[in-house]
Amino acid sequence: YQHRKLFGEVAVDIGYVSTKRLYEALTLLVKADLAGEPYKFIAQILVELGCMTEPQGLEILAVLHNSERVFT
């Protein structure tokens, strides 16, 4: 079984987001969920925080859906 990377892992691997900023975004995601707010994808939160751009988010999604490119 090969671990399938998550959006945040790829964002950190590529260097678009620091681990600290990823954890900040994940914390906001959990707090919003606990408050009953509508769900947001981690990519949306990272863009709203100014950590990355929408095109960078789309690139990460392309990487996640491309089985030929694997980050180690």
Side-chain angles (χ1 to χ4, degrees):
Y1 172 77
Q2 184 178 357
H3 169 69
R4 184 180 174 136
K5 293 208 174 207
L6 300 174
F7 184 95
E9 291 176 296
V10 175
V12 171
D13 287 348
I14 292 176
Y16 287 162
V17 179
S18 68
T19 303
K20 180 180 178 181
R21 294 295 274 174
L22 175 60
Y23 284 135
E24 179 184 348
L26 290 169
T27 300
L28 291 173
L29 184 91
V30 171
K31 286 181 179 179
D33 184 51
L34 291 173
E37 296 175 14
Y39 182 80
K40 288 184 181 180
F41 290 100
I42 192 69
Q44 184 179 0
I45 295 172
L46 288 166
V47 169
E48 289 174 0
L49 289 173
C51 298
M52 60 188 297
T53 64
E54 286 186 28
Q56 289 172 327
L58 293 173
E59 181 183 341
I60 293 168
L61 290 175
V63 168
L64 288 170
H65 290 89
N66 179 0
S67 59
E68 295 175 10
R69 188 171 178 191
V70 178
F71 288 88
T72 54

